Amino acid sequence: MKSLLRYLKDYKKESVLAPLFKMLEASFELLVPLVMAAVIDVGIAQEDRPYIVKMCFVLIALGLIGLVCSITAQYFSAKAASGFGTGVRHALFEHIQKLTFTEMDTIGSSTLITRLTSDINQTQSGVNLVLRLFLRSPFIVFGAMIMAFTVDVKAAVIFVVVIPVLSVIVFGIMLVTMPLYRKVQSCLDRVLLTTRENLAGVRVIRAFNKEQEEREKFEQENQTLTDAQKFVGRISGLMNPLTYIVVNGGIIALIYAGAIRVNIGDLTQGEVVALINYMSQILTELVKLANLIITVTKAVACGNRIGSVLNIQPDMEDGDQILSVENIYPAADGRQSGQKIPAVEFDHVSLTYKGAGGESLTDISFRAMKGQTIGIIGGTGSGKSSLVNLIPRFYDATQGKIRIFGKDIREIQIESLREHIGIVPQKAVLFKGTIAENLRWGNENASDDELEEALAISQAKEFVDRKPDRTEFQIEQGGRNLSGGQKQRLTIARALVRKPEILILDDSASALDFATDAALRSAIRSMKGSPAVFIVSQRAS
């Protein structure tokens, strides 16, 4: 959690002013019992109505000044907390983008979504409450005790006994609940994972009539989360009754001792009322402090979870070389001299996934020249996708070397490397927006003519022409309003817009009929620039 506090550095002024104004409000609040004591001892005892009216105006003034200070503090604390949450959210999202596929596979997307949403919201609420109450509540607790000593030393001894007992209760419960809140967040991760899987695979669940089983599984995990929350809630719920018992016991002791002291003339009635008011203030503030500690406990647990993700260092180091046309074809006679340089070369490459029992790829060597088409065929789980995923460096080979145009891919900047590669993954993923916006993911500066060319090569032009507004047709989230074949053709077009030197089609034509598939491959072979094409397919043709 400490590592996250650096995101408050741009809000130093707000972080200082918020508690400062809260303490000003608390200072005016501590004066109220003394004014009330004066009203009772002077105004009421002597039947001095003008004095009572004057003191009432003083109380109103103290209330208004305290209100202004409170609103100002709320403004500064909300601004600082919102800025903190925004900073953490941006930093976490940016860090997740840097993680390799290996780390993403290890952590799990459901956990990362929880970190980005629920956990950050909890830490933001914690920062907000800390700025508002962390100094104010202890200030009033100890301030009330000090003010009680100025009223009467003997009666104030009760405060000295009550406050340590309350502190033991509050901090004891905090220490017990902190690890339990971490467990609650882990249960929330599992519920989110199940929910996400059910929503993503709803068609499969219905096809196999598994709705009841999935519902039972969700209810079981939801019940586990509920039980964990109930358990920690019961422990946290002890805070209020225990503090009320101790403080009300203190008030009883004050009334008893005060009555005896008033009877013998050592104390006035107003001073007893002031002491009781100070004890009530302590009760109110300790209840606030208890709620603050519960929120802060959650916030610290969530902050540590966020910090654990931010502390993960990507195991893939970026290279320092830039892959450009000039680097690929350095000779004066242009590209012709570079035709003999392999576009992709595997040199005794092996791959073992993290935590796997054995190698997924073993001792693979081959060369692919520009203009060549490489077909990769094999059974399910034979490592076809693993092989092509090594080319754009989604994973690093555990043994051997991979060269792109004669350069080791570990020495090339990842961003520069991927600019020369067009990849169409197994699962066709489209984003909400127009067809043109989705295609320009491949090249944000692509002209309309280049989009049309990519659509024609990918065999998507025929159905795009039938859509209203053509390339301005709105695609829903995940491409829900398109068929499987249409989605695949658009993802292929998106890769072609980049005009890559290397094109990878990872089983991306499985939803196409044989005629469209053949027309697609024929169009790709006739592309300008003659890219090296890798086709992963279940079809031997």
Side-chain angles (χ1 to χ4, degrees), residues 96-140:
I96 289 170
Q97 297 301 313
K98 294 176 182 175
L99 296 178
T100 64
F101 279 31
T102 301
E103 282 124 18
M104 298 280 275
D105 295 342
T106 304
I107 301 167
S109 54
S110 60
T111 302
L112 293 175
I113 291 169
T114 309
R115 302 285 201 276
L116 271 168
T117 51
S118 173
D119 286 353
I120 290 179
N121 287 340
Q122 288 279 13
T123 53
Q124 184 173 321
S125 298
V127 169
N128 193 354
L129 282 177
V130 165
L131 292 177
R132 282 165 44 202
L133 297 176
F134 191 68
L135 291 179
R136 182 189 189 278
S137 294
F139 181 78
I140 284 193

Short mmCIF file of all heavy atoms in Angstrom, two decimals, residues 96-140:
data_model
loop_
_atom_site.label_atom_id
_atom_site.label_comp_id
_atom_site.label_asym_id
_atom_site.label_seq_id
_atom_site.Cartn_x
_atom_site.Cartn_y
_atom_site.Cartn_z
N ILE A 96 -0.33 -3.44 -16.80
CA ILE A 96 -0.91 -4.68 -17.31
C ILE A 96 -0.60 -4.83 -18.79
O ILE A 96 -0.34 -5.94 -19.28
CB ILE A 96 -2.43 -4.71 -17.05
CG1 ILE A 96 -2.69 -4.91 -15.55
CG2 ILE A 96 -3.10 -5.84 -17.83
CD1 ILE A 96 -4.14 -4.73 -15.14
N GLN A 97 -0.62 -3.69 -19.52
CA GLN A 97 -0.32 -3.75 -20.96
C GLN A 97 1.11 -4.22 -21.22
O GLN A 97 1.41 -4.79 -22.27
CB GLN A 97 -0.51 -2.37 -21.60
CG GLN A 97 -1.93 -1.82 -21.53
CD GLN A 97 -2.94 -2.72 -22.21
OE1 GLN A 97 -2.72 -3.17 -23.32
NE2 GLN A 97 -4.03 -3.01 -21.54
N LYS A 98 2.01 -3.99 -20.25
CA LYS A 98 3.41 -4.38 -20.40
C LYS A 98 3.66 -5.84 -20.04
O LYS A 98 4.72 -6.39 -20.37
CB LYS A 98 4.31 -3.49 -19.53
CG LYS A 98 4.33 -2.02 -19.97
CD LYS A 98 5.16 -1.19 -19.00
CE LYS A 98 5.16 0.28 -19.38
NZ LYS A 98 5.86 1.11 -18.38
N LEU A 99 2.72 -6.45 -19.33
CA LEU A 99 2.91 -7.84 -18.91
C LEU A 99 2.91 -8.77 -20.12
O LEU A 99 2.16 -8.55 -21.07
CB LEU A 99 1.81 -8.26 -17.93
CG LEU A 99 1.77 -7.53 -16.58
CD1 LEU A 99 0.60 -8.02 -15.75
CD2 LEU A 99 3.07 -7.70 -15.81
N THR A 100 3.71 -9.79 -20.05
CA THR A 100 3.76 -10.76 -21.15
C THR A 100 2.58 -11.71 -21.04
O THR A 100 1.88 -11.75 -20.01
CB THR A 100 5.07 -11.56 -21.08
OG1 THR A 100 5.07 -12.32 -19.85
CG2 THR A 100 6.29 -10.66 -21.10
N PHE A 101 2.38 -12.50 -22.10
CA PHE A 101 1.30 -13.48 -22.08
C PHE A 101 1.50 -14.48 -20.95
O PHE A 101 0.53 -14.97 -20.37
CB PHE A 101 1.25 -14.23 -23.43
CG PHE A 101 0.53 -13.46 -24.51
CD1 PHE A 101 0.54 -12.08 -24.52
CD2 PHE A 101 -0.18 -14.12 -25.50
CE1 PHE A 101 -0.12 -11.37 -25.50
CE2 PHE A 101 -0.85 -13.42 -26.50
CZ PHE A 101 -0.82 -12.04 -26.50
N THR A 102 2.74 -14.80 -20.63
CA THR A 102 3.03 -15.75 -19.55
C THR A 102 2.49 -15.24 -18.23
O THR A 102 1.82 -15.97 -17.48
CB THR A 102 4.56 -15.98 -19.44
OG1 THR A 102 5.05 -16.47 -20.68
CG2 THR A 102 4.87 -16.97 -18.33
N GLU A 103 2.76 -13.95 -17.93
CA GLU A 103 2.28 -13.38 -16.67
C GLU A 103 0.76 -13.24 -16.65
O GLU A 103 0.11 -13.48 -15.63
CB GLU A 103 2.93 -12.00 -16.44
CG GLU A 103 4.35 -12.09 -15.92
CD GLU A 103 5.34 -11.35 -16.79
OE1 GLU A 103 4.92 -10.50 -17.58
OE2 GLU A 103 6.54 -11.64 -16.69
N MET A 104 0.19 -12.87 -17.82
CA MET A 104 -1.27 -12.75 -17.90
C MET A 104 -1.92 -14.11 -17.66
O MET A 104 -2.96 -14.21 -16.99
CB MET A 104 -1.68 -12.22 -19.27
CG MET A 104 -1.16 -10.84 -19.59
SD MET A 104 -2.12 -9.54 -18.84
CE MET A 104 -3.41 -9.37 -20.06
N ASP A 105 -1.31 -15.17 -18.21
CA ASP A 105 -1.85 -16.52 -18.01
C ASP A 105 -1.77 -16.91 -16.53
O ASP A 105 -2.66 -17.57 -16.00
CB ASP A 105 -1.07 -17.55 -18.85
CG ASP A 105 -1.25 -17.32 -20.34
OD1 ASP A 105 -2.20 -16.62 -20.72
OD2 ASP A 105 -0.41 -17.80 -21.13
N THR A 106 -0.67 -16.51 -15.88
CA THR A 106 -0.44 -16.89 -14.48
C THR A 106 -1.40 -16.16 -13.55
O THR A 106 -2.01 -16.76 -12.65
CB THR A 106 1.01 -16.57 -14.06
OG1 THR A 106 1.90 -17.23 -14.96
CG2 THR A 106 1.29 -17.04 -12.64
N ILE A 107 -1.56 -14.85 -13.74
CA ILE A 107 -2.39 -14.04 -12.84
C ILE A 107 -3.87 -14.30 -13.07
O ILE A 107 -4.64 -14.50 -12.14
CB ILE A 107 -2.09 -12.52 -13.02
CG1 ILE A 107 -0.62 -12.24 -12.74
CG2 ILE A 107 -2.97 -11.68 -12.10
CD1 ILE A 107 -0.17 -10.86 -13.20
N GLY A 108 -4.29 -14.29 -14.32
CA GLY A 108 -5.71 -14.49 -14.65
C GLY A 108 -6.41 -13.16 -14.86
O GLY A 108 -6.22 -12.23 -14.08
N SER A 109 -7.21 -13.11 -15.92
CA SER A 109 -7.85 -11.84 -16.28
C SER A 109 -8.91 -11.42 -15.27
O SER A 109 -9.12 -10.23 -15.03
CB SER A 109 -8.47 -11.95 -17.67
OG SER A 109 -9.34 -13.06 -17.75
N SER A 110 -9.60 -12.39 -14.62
CA SER A 110 -10.64 -12.03 -13.64
C SER A 110 -10.04 -11.29 -12.45
O SER A 110 -10.60 -10.31 -11.95
CB SER A 110 -11.38 -13.28 -13.16
OG SER A 110 -10.48 -14.17 -12.54
N THR A 111 -8.86 -11.75 -12.00
CA THR A 111 -8.18 -11.08 -10.89
C THR A 111 -7.76 -9.67 -11.28
O THR A 111 -7.91 -8.72 -10.50
CB THR A 111 -6.93 -11.89 -10.47
OG1 THR A 111 -7.34 -13.19 -10.12
CG2 THR A 111 -6.20 -11.25 -9.31
N LEU A 112 -7.27 -9.50 -12.50
CA LEU A 112 -6.83 -8.18 -12.96
C LEU A 112 -8.02 -7.22 -13.06
O LEU A 112 -7.90 -6.02 -12.74
CB LEU A 112 -6.13 -8.30 -14.31
CG LEU A 112 -4.79 -9.05 -14.30
CD1 LEU A 112 -4.26 -9.20 -15.71
CD2 LEU A 112 -3.77 -8.33 -13.43
N ILE A 113 -9.18 -7.73 -13.49
CA ILE A 113 -10.38 -6.88 -13.57
C ILE A 113 -10.79 -6.43 -12.17
O ILE A 113 -11.14 -5.26 -11.95
CB ILE A 113 -11.53 -7.64 -14.26
CG1 ILE A 113 -11.21 -7.84 -15.75
CG2 ILE A 113 -12.85 -6.87 -14.13
CD1 ILE A 113 -12.14 -8.80 -16.46
N THR A 114 -10.73 -7.34 -11.18
CA THR A 114 -11.05 -6.98 -9.80
C THR A 114 -10.10 -5.91 -9.28
O THR A 114 -10.52 -4.96 -8.61
CB THR A 114 -10.97 -8.21 -8.87
OG1 THR A 114 -11.74 -9.27 -9.43
CG2 THR A 114 -11.51 -7.89 -7.49
N ARG A 115 -8.81 -6.06 -9.60
CA ARG A 115 -7.82 -5.06 -9.17
C ARG A 115 -8.14 -3.68 -9.76
O ARG A 115 -8.02 -2.66 -9.08
CB ARG A 115 -6.41 -5.47 -9.63
CG ARG A 115 -5.92 -6.82 -9.16
CD ARG A 115 -5.50 -6.84 -7.70
NE ARG A 115 -4.60 -7.93 -7.41
CZ ARG A 115 -4.94 -9.17 -7.13
NH1 ARG A 115 -6.20 -9.52 -7.13
NH2 ARG A 115 -4.03 -10.09 -6.85
N LEU A 116 -8.53 -3.66 -11.04
CA LEU A 116 -8.78 -2.39 -11.73
C LEU A 116 -10.07 -1.72 -11.29
O LEU A 116 -10.22 -0.51 -11.45
CB LEU A 116 -8.84 -2.62 -13.25
CG LEU A 116 -7.51 -2.54 -14.00
CD1 LEU A 116 -7.68 -3.07 -15.42
CD2 LEU A 116 -7.00 -1.11 -14.05
N THR A 117 -11.01 -2.48 -10.78
CA THR A 117 -12.32 -1.91 -10.44
C THR A 117 -12.51 -1.85 -8.92
O THR A 117 -12.29 -0.82 -8.31
CB THR A 117 -13.44 -2.73 -11.11
OG1 THR A 117 -13.25 -4.13 -10.80
CG2 THR A 117 -13.39 -2.56 -12.62
N SER A 118 -12.91 -2.97 -8.34
CA SER A 118 -13.28 -3.01 -6.92
C SER A 118 -12.13 -2.57 -6.02
O SER A 118 -12.31 -1.76 -5.11
CB SER A 118 -13.72 -4.42 -6.55
OG SER A 118 -13.92 -4.54 -5.17
N ASP A 119 -10.92 -3.11 -6.25
CA ASP A 119 -9.79 -2.80 -5.36
C ASP A 119 -9.42 -1.32 -5.40
O ASP A 119 -9.16 -0.71 -4.35
CB ASP A 119 -8.58 -3.66 -5.74
CG ASP A 119 -8.75 -5.12 -5.32
OD1 ASP A 119 -9.74 -5.39 -4.64
OD2 ASP A 119 -7.91 -5.95 -5.67
N ILE A 120 -9.38 -0.74 -6.59
CA ILE A 120 -9.02 0.68 -6.69
C ILE A 120 -10.10 1.56 -6.05
O ILE A 120 -9.80 2.56 -5.38
CB ILE A 120 -8.76 1.09 -8.16
CG1 ILE A 120 -7.47 0.43 -8.65
CG2 ILE A 120 -8.68 2.61 -8.32
CD1 ILE A 120 -7.10 0.73 -10.08
N ASN A 121 -11.38 1.19 -6.22
CA ASN A 121 -12.46 1.95 -5.59
C ASN A 121 -12.33 1.92 -4.07
O ASN A 121 -12.57 2.92 -3.38
CB ASN A 121 -13.82 1.40 -6.01
CG ASN A 121 -14.16 1.75 -7.45
OD1 ASN A 121 -13.59 2.69 -8.01
ND2 ASN A 121 -15.06 1.01 -8.05
N GLN A 122 -11.97 0.75 -3.52
CA GLN A 122 -11.80 0.62 -2.07
C GLN A 122 -10.64 1.50 -1.57
O GLN A 122 -10.75 2.17 -0.55
CB GLN A 122 -11.53 -0.84 -1.70
CG GLN A 122 -12.74 -1.75 -1.83
CD GLN A 122 -13.68 -1.66 -0.65
OE1 GLN A 122 -13.58 -0.77 0.17
NE2 GLN A 122 -14.62 -2.58 -0.57
N THR A 123 -9.52 1.46 -2.29
CA THR A 123 -8.37 2.28 -1.86
C THR A 123 -8.69 3.76 -1.98
O THR A 123 -8.29 4.56 -1.13
CB THR A 123 -7.12 1.95 -2.70
OG1 THR A 123 -7.43 2.07 -4.09
CG2 THR A 123 -6.61 0.56 -2.43
N GLN A 124 -9.45 4.14 -3.01
CA GLN A 124 -9.83 5.55 -3.18
C GLN A 124 -10.71 6.00 -2.00
O GLN A 124 -10.50 7.10 -1.45
CB GLN A 124 -10.59 5.72 -4.50
CG GLN A 124 -10.95 7.16 -4.82
CD GLN A 124 -11.55 7.29 -6.22
OE1 GLN A 124 -11.12 6.63 -7.16
NE2 GLN A 124 -12.57 8.12 -6.35
N SER A 125 -11.67 5.16 -1.61
CA SER A 125 -12.53 5.48 -0.45
C SER A 125 -11.69 5.58 0.83
O SER A 125 -11.93 6.45 1.67
CB SER A 125 -13.60 4.41 -0.27
OG SER A 125 -14.44 4.35 -1.39
N GLY A 126 -10.72 4.67 0.95
CA GLY A 126 -9.84 4.70 2.12
C GLY A 126 -9.05 5.99 2.21
O GLY A 126 -8.96 6.61 3.28
N VAL A 127 -8.48 6.44 1.09
CA VAL A 127 -7.72 7.70 1.08
C VAL A 127 -8.63 8.86 1.44
O VAL A 127 -8.25 9.76 2.23
CB VAL A 127 -7.07 7.92 -0.32
CG1 VAL A 127 -6.51 9.33 -0.45
CG2 VAL A 127 -5.96 6.90 -0.54
N ASN A 128 -9.83 8.89 0.89
CA ASN A 128 -10.79 9.96 1.16
C ASN A 128 -11.09 10.05 2.66
O ASN A 128 -11.03 11.14 3.25
CB ASN A 128 -12.08 9.70 0.37
CG ASN A 128 -12.99 10.91 0.33
OD1 ASN A 128 -12.73 11.92 0.97
ND2 ASN A 128 -14.06 10.81 -0.41
N LEU A 129 -11.39 8.91 3.28
CA LEU A 129 -11.74 8.90 4.70
C LEU A 129 -10.54 9.23 5.59
O LEU A 129 -10.68 9.90 6.61
CB LEU A 129 -12.32 7.54 5.09
CG LEU A 129 -13.78 7.31 4.68
CD1 LEU A 129 -14.21 5.90 5.05
CD2 LEU A 129 -14.70 8.31 5.37
N VAL A 130 -9.36 8.75 5.19
CA VAL A 130 -8.16 9.04 5.98
C VAL A 130 -7.89 10.55 6.03
O VAL A 130 -7.61 11.12 7.09
CB VAL A 130 -6.93 8.28 5.42
CG1 VAL A 130 -5.64 8.86 5.98
CG2 VAL A 130 -7.02 6.81 5.77
N LEU A 131 -7.98 11.19 4.87
CA LEU A 131 -7.74 12.64 4.83
C LEU A 131 -8.75 13.41 5.66
O LEU A 131 -8.45 14.46 6.22
CB LEU A 131 -7.77 13.13 3.37
CG LEU A 131 -6.63 12.66 2.47
CD1 LEU A 131 -6.83 13.16 1.05
CD2 LEU A 131 -5.28 13.13 2.99
N ARG A 132 -9.98 12.88 5.75
CA ARG A 132 -11.03 13.60 6.48
C ARG A 132 -11.03 13.28 7.97
O ARG A 132 -11.27 14.17 8.78
CB ARG A 132 -12.38 13.23 5.88
CG ARG A 132 -12.68 13.95 4.59
CD ARG A 132 -13.84 13.32 3.83
NE ARG A 132 -14.95 13.00 4.71
CZ ARG A 132 -15.90 12.10 4.43
NH1 ARG A 132 -15.85 11.44 3.30
NH2 ARG A 132 -16.88 11.87 5.27
N LEU A 133 -10.77 12.03 8.33
CA LEU A 133 -11.02 11.61 9.72
C LEU A 133 -9.81 11.13 10.48
O LEU A 133 -9.86 11.05 11.71
CB LEU A 133 -12.08 10.49 9.72
CG LEU A 133 -13.47 10.86 9.17
CD1 LEU A 133 -14.36 9.64 9.16
CD2 LEU A 133 -14.11 11.96 10.00
N PHE A 134 -8.73 10.77 9.77
CA PHE A 134 -7.62 10.12 10.47
C PHE A 134 -7.00 11.03 11.54
O PHE A 134 -6.60 10.56 12.61
CB PHE A 134 -6.55 9.69 9.47
CG PHE A 134 -5.50 8.80 10.08
CD1 PHE A 134 -5.82 7.52 10.49
CD2 PHE A 134 -4.19 9.24 10.25
CE1 PHE A 134 -4.88 6.69 11.07
CE2 PHE A 134 -3.24 8.41 10.83
CZ PHE A 134 -3.58 7.13 11.23
N LEU A 135 -6.92 12.33 11.28
CA LEU A 135 -6.39 13.26 12.29
C LEU A 135 -7.50 13.85 13.13
O LEU A 135 -7.31 14.13 14.32
CB LEU A 135 -5.60 14.38 11.61
CG LEU A 135 -4.28 13.97 10.96
CD1 LEU A 135 -3.61 15.17 10.31
CD2 LEU A 135 -3.33 13.36 11.99
N ARG A 136 -8.68 14.04 12.52
CA ARG A 136 -9.78 14.69 13.24
C ARG A 136 -10.24 13.86 14.44
O ARG A 136 -10.39 14.38 15.55
CB ARG A 136 -10.96 14.90 12.29
CG ARG A 136 -12.13 15.61 12.92
CD ARG A 136 -13.36 15.59 12.00
NE ARG A 136 -14.42 16.44 12.48
CZ ARG A 136 -15.29 16.11 13.42
NH1 ARG A 136 -15.20 14.92 13.99
NH2 ARG A 136 -16.23 16.95 13.81
N SER A 137 -10.48 12.57 14.24
CA SER A 137 -11.02 11.74 15.32
C SER A 137 -10.05 11.63 16.51
O SER A 137 -10.46 11.90 17.65
CB SER A 137 -11.37 10.35 14.78
OG SER A 137 -12.43 10.45 13.86
N PRO A 138 -8.77 11.27 16.30
CA PRO A 138 -7.86 11.26 17.45
C PRO A 138 -7.71 12.65 18.09
O PRO A 138 -7.57 12.76 19.30
CB PRO A 138 -6.52 10.81 16.82
CG PRO A 138 -6.89 10.08 15.59
CD PRO A 138 -8.11 10.77 15.09
N PHE A 139 -7.75 13.70 17.25
CA PHE A 139 -7.63 15.07 17.77
C PHE A 139 -8.77 15.38 18.73
O PHE A 139 -8.56 15.94 19.82
CB PHE A 139 -7.65 16.07 16.60
CG PHE A 139 -7.52 17.51 17.03
CD1 PHE A 139 -6.29 18.04 17.37
CD2 PHE A 139 -8.64 18.33 17.09
CE1 PHE A 139 -6.17 19.37 17.76
CE2 PHE A 139 -8.53 19.66 17.47
CZ PHE A 139 -7.29 20.18 17.81
N ILE A 140 -10.01 14.99 18.36
CA ILE A 140 -11.15 15.24 19.25
C ILE A 140 -11.09 14.35 20.48
O ILE A 140 -11.39 14.79 21.59
CB ILE A 140 -12.48 15.05 18.49
CG1 ILE A 140 -12.72 16.25 17.58
CG2 ILE A 140 -13.64 14.84 19.43
CD1 ILE A 140 -14.10 16.36 17.01
#
